[in-house]
Each structure stands twice: as structure tokens, then as C-alpha cells.
């Protein structure tokens, strides 16, 4: 039996015709022998020489980079970022594609996942097949929107800052991330060394001007004296328990969305595109059409973004229950929504906390699960509550498709679906699906 090193195909090169896009930021190709390749840095229809980066003789498939383009797609451009390309930074998947082509590719992925995992064609889901850019992001080829308001940089053993290479712990040292929002770049974290640190997260809150740096030291290392280009609060991650602690300034940042201010503590979750929170709230509320007096659920509610929007719209006679597993996020949500008497935030995993509430019926549901999705049991429970409409906010088209299939089996159909390119240059895409009982209007 050959050893792993003897059977490895890493470094082998093949000339291939590049096939369709696949979920995950790569395209599918096949060798002359029929072996499947997942190829990065290529575009559908190209002819390219690809080099294997992962895989062995007995692997089900191989991963590869396109290292030489023989016949280029009309959608190809020179990558604007000098750190993008084979063997370099793994943060951006589509730097080599025109912006419009990136959105088409994302649309093709959504459509493929819907049909393969849920048996839905775009028209069955009320979707026209388009992926919409965020306002201000529709730029000419070669221009990159600086959109990412939260960037977690890796630090190498010499204290140099950078970003991880694709599927690797190796650090690609950078002096500027093109997709970082201006507020992140203004902090200047890319222009100094960080000895003893494992990672540095830079946060530029939207609308408030708050800036924050979260430091994760290597074991036994001391925090450096942080002197940056503008006032900033500093937090650190405990090397033993992973807890986040305040070093200097506030332990939260203030984010603005839907004409409200939200406190987001200790490096907690908030949408990273500056337009995302407002855009998603608008899409969700347009889909749900809340009424005065409605009872609504906001599941995986974070710091209360959708719960706050719902509370504004259901009025004093309505009620909103939010459920969130993160302890600090729950504290922030309760703080953020303290002016609403009929809003309650419960801590716990949704699949465990929701049955404990004793709720037997609701009017509306907002579902914003993590990347893995909500799952069959949660979907069945929600369908049993008989909501008039459900808004499903999804950051992963595969998880969305699986859950839509579960909803279909539980008696709900997808009325409309909208897709937004809130992560330009990457393969990520955000969707908002609006569901209603399948027999409505029949």
C-alpha cells in the first residue's frame, strides 16, 4: 500500500475545460480520466492548466488552482488585489471576475442548490434569478467596494499581519485589504507589527463612528501597547476560556439600522456590510407586512435587530419574543429593546428554548439561523405554530434549500425569494425567503 506522500497528487497539473460554478467559490472540471476537480481562480467555459492543491490517487475529488489560462472567459478581469490568486489570500473567491459576472455566478449557485436539495426551480420559489448589489456597490470592473466593516486579521510568528490562505493556517502578509471598509483601514492596524498576537480583529461600526480592536494573544504573550491612528477601544480574548475582556474604552460598539441604535458588545455579531442591516430589515418587513397587534417570533435574534423592527411595527398591542443562545448578545438585545414593554428576549438554543415557551400560535416569524440552518425539528415546530408568514434570512444557499424542503413537507411554500450580494468578491451571498401556508388562497 502506498504511503500518503506516495499517493498524493498535490502539484500535479492538468489541462482542462472548466465547467459550471459550484457552491464554495470554485468551478467543476474533469481530467481526461474523468477525475473530478474543484478549481479555484477559474471561470466557467475557460480552458486552463490547473495544479492540484489537495488530493490523492484514492480521493473522491481533487482541489486545484487555475495557474495558467489558455482561453479566457469574457467575464475575466485582472484581479485588482495583489494578494489574490493561486496560493495567496483565501478571503476573496472572485477577484478575477467582473462584478456582474460574480452576481450571475452566485445566482447560478442558488438556483442549483434550490433544485438539487429542495426540488425547486427559481420560479417555484418566487425568484427571478437575479442577485442584487447593495446600494453603492455597483462599480465598474477593476474597482472594489470597501465594504467589510469587521476584518479579522491573522498574525504570523514574526508579528506581521495578514490573512489566511485558502484552507490553510499559513498567513499571507498584507499591507492593505481592498474589501476592508474605510473605517477599518483608517485604524492603521495593517501598518504595524503585532508581536505575540495570534489575531487582530478591526471593527468600524456603521453610523456611530465607533472603532474597536479585538486582540487574541498567543499563549503566554503580553498585550502590546496599542497606539493607532484614531481613538479606539481595545478588547482581548482570554487564551484559556476564549472569553472577551475590556482593556481600554467601551466594551461595545454602537451600530445604526432602521433608525435605531444597537449596542453590540465584546466583538459580537453584526452584519459586516454597512448597507446590510438596513437592506435586510427592509426586505424582511416588506415580505412579512406586520400588522398592529401581531404576535411575532425573532429566532437566533442576536442583539435584537429584527425584534426591534417588528416591535416598531406591531405596536403596543402586539408582542415579540426573541430567542438567542449567546449570553452577551441577550444582554445587549434586552438593553437595545428596553423601551418596548411587550418584547421579551430568552436565552437558549432555539430548538430547546422554543418548546419551553409554551407558545402554541404566532402570526409572524423571523428566522436568521447560523450557516448550518434551522433543521428539520425546528422547522416542524414553527410550522405547527401556524404563522401567517415566515421570513427566512439565509447566509448559505445549501442550508436554505434544505430547510425550504422541510418547510414544504410541513405545509409551507416559498412565496418570494430575494438574493443580495452583500459580500462582493467572495462566494458568499445573502437570501431572504418569505414563506406562507401552501394552501393559502386555495
Amino acid at each position: 500500500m502506498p504511503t500518503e506522500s506516495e499517493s498524493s497528487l498535490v502539484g500535479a497539473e492538468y489541462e482542462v475545460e472548466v465547467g459550471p460554478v459550484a457552491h464554495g467559490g470554485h468551478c467543476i472540471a474533469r481530467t481526461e480520466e474523468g477525475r473530478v476537480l474543484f478549481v479555484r481562480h477559474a471561470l466557467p467555459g475557460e480552458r486552463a492548466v490547473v495544479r492540484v492543491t489537495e488530493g490523492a490517487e484514492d480521493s473522491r475529488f481533487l482541489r486545484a488552482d487555475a495557474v495558467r489560462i489558455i482561453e479566457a472567459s469574457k467575464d475575466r478581469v485582472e484581479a485588482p488585489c495583489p494578494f489574490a490568486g493561486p496560493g495567496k489570500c483565501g478571503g476573496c473567491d472572485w477577484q478575477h471576475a467582473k462584478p456582474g459576472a460574480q452576481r450571475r455566478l452566485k445566482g447560478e449557485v442558488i438556483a442549483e442548490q434550490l433544485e438539487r436539495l429542495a426540488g425547486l426551480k427559481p420560479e417555484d420559489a418566487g425568484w427571478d434569478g437575479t442577485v442584487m448589489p447593495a446600494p453603492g456597490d455597483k462599480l465598474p470592473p477593476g474597482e472594489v467596494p470597501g465594504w467589510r466593516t469587521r476584518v479579522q486579521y491573522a498574525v504570523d510568528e514574526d508579528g506581521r499581519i495578514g490573512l489566511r490562505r485558502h484552507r490553510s493556517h499559513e498567513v499571507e502578509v498584507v499591507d492593505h485589504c481592498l474589501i476592508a471598509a474605510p473605517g477599518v483601514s483608517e485604524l492603521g492596524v495593517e501598518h504595524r507589527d503585532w508581536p505575540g498576537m495570534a489575531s487582530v480583529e478591526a471593527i468600524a461600526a456603521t453610523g456611530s463612528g465607533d472603532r474597536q480592536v479585538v486582540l487574541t494573544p498567543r499563549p503566554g504573550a503580553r498585550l502590546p501597547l496599542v497606539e493607532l491612528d484614531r481613538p479606539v477601544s481595545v478588547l482581548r480574548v482570554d487564551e484559556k476560556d476564549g472569553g472577551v475582556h475590556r482593556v481600554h474604552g467601551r466594551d461595545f460598539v454602537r451600530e445604526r439600522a432602521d433608525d435605531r441604535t444597537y449596542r453590540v458588545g465584546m466583538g459580537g455579531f453584526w452584519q459586516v456590510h454597512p448597507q446590510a442591516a438596513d437592506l435586510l430589515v427592509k426586505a424582511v418587513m416588506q415580505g412579512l407586512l406586520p400588522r398592529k397587534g401581531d404576535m411575532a417570533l425573532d429566532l437566533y435574534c442576536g442583539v435584537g435587530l429584527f425584534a426591534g423592527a417588528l416591535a416598531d411595527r406591531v405596536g403596543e398591542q402586539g408582542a415579540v419574543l426573541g430567542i438567542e443562545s449567546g449570553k452577551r448578545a441577550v444582554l445587549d438585545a434586552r438593553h437595545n429593546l428596553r423601551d418596548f414593554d411587550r418584547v421579551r428576549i430568552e436565552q437558549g438554543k432555539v430548538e430547546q428554548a422554543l418548546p419551553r415557551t409554551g407558545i402554541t400560535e404566532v402570526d409572524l416569524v423571523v428566522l436568521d439561523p447560523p450557516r448550518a440552518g434551522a433543521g428539520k425539528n425546528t422547522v416542524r415546530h414553527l410550522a405547527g405554530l401556524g404563522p401567517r408568514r415566515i421570513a427566512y434570512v439565509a447566509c448559505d444557499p445549501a442550508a436554505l434549500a434544505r430547510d425550504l424542503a422541510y418547510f414544504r413537507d410541513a405545509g409551507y411554500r416559498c412565496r418570494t425569494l430575494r438574493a443580495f450580494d452583500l459580500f462582493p468578491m467572495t462566494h458568499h451571498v445573502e437570501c431572504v425567503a418569505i414563506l406562507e401556508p401552501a394552501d393559502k388562497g386555495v
Side-chain angles (χ1 to χ4, degrees):
M1 177 181 289
T3 65
E4 182 177 351
S5 60
E6 290 172 338
S7 66
S8 174
L9 291 176
V10 173
E13 293 188 355
Y14 301 92
E15 184 176 318
V16 299
E17 296 281 353
V18 181
V21 65
H23 184 29
H26 45 248
C27 297
I28 297 174
R30 291 182 183 271
T31 66
E32 290 183 354
E33 299 77 25
R35 189 185 294 271
V36 175
L37 295 160
F38 287 155
V39 182
R40 284 173 59 82
H41 311 293
L43 293 172
E46 293 187 325
R47 187 159 191 83
V49 174
V50 304
R51 181 179 299 143
V52 176
T53 56
E54 289 182 46
E57 289 284 358
D58 58 353
S59 300
R60 289 174 45 244
F61 59 84
L62 305 175
R63 297 183 183 276
D65 283 339
V67 293
R68 183 161 61 89
I69 305 300
I70 300 171
E71 296 176 12
S73 165
K74 62 180 176 55
D75 291 324
R76 176 171 286 275
V77 294
E78 187 74 23
C81 178
F83 308 110
K88 297 182 181 180
C89 172
C92 290
D93 310 288
W94 300 120
Q95 289 262 356
H96 58 287
K98 295 176 181 177
Q102 294 180 34
R103 294 190 287 273
R104 288 197 303 274
L105 292 171
K106 295 181 187 191
E108 290 172 17
V109 168
I110 296 169
E112 188 271 337
Q113 296 291 299
L114 287 174
E115 184 157 8
R116 184 168 65 86
L117 299 176
L120 292 172
K121 294 187 180 298
E123 57 269 25
D124 299 330
W127 179 44
D128 65 4
T130 62
V131 176
M132 299 298 297
D137 279 0
K138 198 168 184 179
L139 300 174
E143 293 189 30
V144 179
W147 56 269
R148 193 173 184 94
T149 60
R150 293 166 178 249
V151 179
Q152 184 161 10
Y153 298 91
V155 182
D156 70 10
E157 293 183 354
D158 295 324
R160 299 176 302 172
I161 204 164
L163 298 159
R164 300 284 184 193
R165 293 171 183 159
H166 183 60
R167 294 176 60 83
S168 171
H169 293 294
E170 294 183 11
V171 178
E172 179 73 16
V173 176
V174 305
D175 56 17
H176 178 55
C177 175
L178 278 185
I179 65 172
V184 168
S185 299
E186 289 166 5
L187 283 171
V189 299
E190 299 163 320
H191 304 303
R192 58 159 292 172
D193 289 339
W194 295 91
M197 298 300 103
S199 69
V200 177
E201 183 177 13
I203 299 170
T206 302
S208 69
D210 288 351
R211 302 291 183 262
Q212 191 175 82
V213 171
V214 184
L215 303 174
T216 303
R218 296 179 184 274
R222 298 180 63 181
L223 291 181
L225 179 64
V226 179
E227 295 180 355
L228 296 171
D229 295 347
R230 56 170 298 157
V232 60
S233 59
V234 180
L235 310 179
R236 67 174 175 85
V237 178
D238 190 284
E239 65 181 75
K240 295 181 180 178
D241 61 13
V244 185
H245 306 278
R246 182 173 66 89
V247 176
H248 170 75
R250 297 191 184 98
D251 64 357
F252 61 86
V253 293
R254 296 162 298 177
E255 299 277 5
R256 289 285 298 174
D258 196 38
D259 295 325
R260 296 185 60 81
T261 297
Y262 289 85
R263 186 182 80 182
V264 184
M266 297 294 191
F269 174 79
W270 186 262
Q271 291 286 342
V272 295
H273 193 292
Q275 305 287 340
D278 276 322
L279 199 61
L280 294 175
V281 165
K282 184 177 180 180
V284 166
M285 295 303 126
Q286 286 177 341
L288 290 180
L289 297 175
R291 303 169 184 167
K292 299 295 183 184
D294 275 343
M295 165 61 191
L297 294 177
D298 180 10
L299 305 182
Y300 314 94
C301 71
V303 300
L305 173 64
F306 295 115
L310 286 165
D312 271 334
R313 290 157 176 83
V314 302
E316 295 180 358
Q317 300 306 310
V320 180
L321 171 66
I323 298 178
E324 165 60 38
S325 62
K327 182 177 180 180
R328 177 58 198 254
V330 167
L331 293 175
D332 286 335
R334 289 171 178 167
H335 170 85
N336 294 331
L337 306 177
R338 63 193 183 281
D339 296 336
F340 296 107
D341 293 334
R342 292 177 60 80
V343 173
R344 190 167 95 247
I345 306 295
E346 295 290 340
Q347 183 183 354
K349 294 183 177 180
V350 168
E351 62 271 23
Q352 298 170 355
L354 184 56
R356 291 200 303 264
T357 64
I359 292 173
T360 58
E361 59 180 323
V362 296
D363 298 299
L364 303 173
V365 175
V366 178
L367 193 62
D368 187 8
R371 193 167 299 280
K376 183 184 295 186
N377 292 337
T378 296
V379 165
R380 286 178 174 174
H381 190 111
L382 289 174
L385 300 179
R388 182 174 75 247
R389 285 193 178 179
I390 299 169
Y392 189 125
V393 182
C395 61
D396 184 272
L400 171 64
R402 286 192 295 268
D403 283 346
L404 288 182
Y406 298 144
F407 272 114
R408 180 192 57 218
D409 295 343
Y412 276 74
R413 70 180 183 97
C414 186
R415 175 187 173 91
T416 62
L417 188 146
R418 299 172 69 184
F420 302 99
D421 188 14
L422 302 181
F423 309 90
M425 302 293 161
T426 80
H427 75 271
H428 299 289
V429 62
E430 199 86 8
C431 296
V432 176
I434 304 298
L435 296 91
E436 65 181 11
D439 59 0
K440 182 176 180 180
V442 177

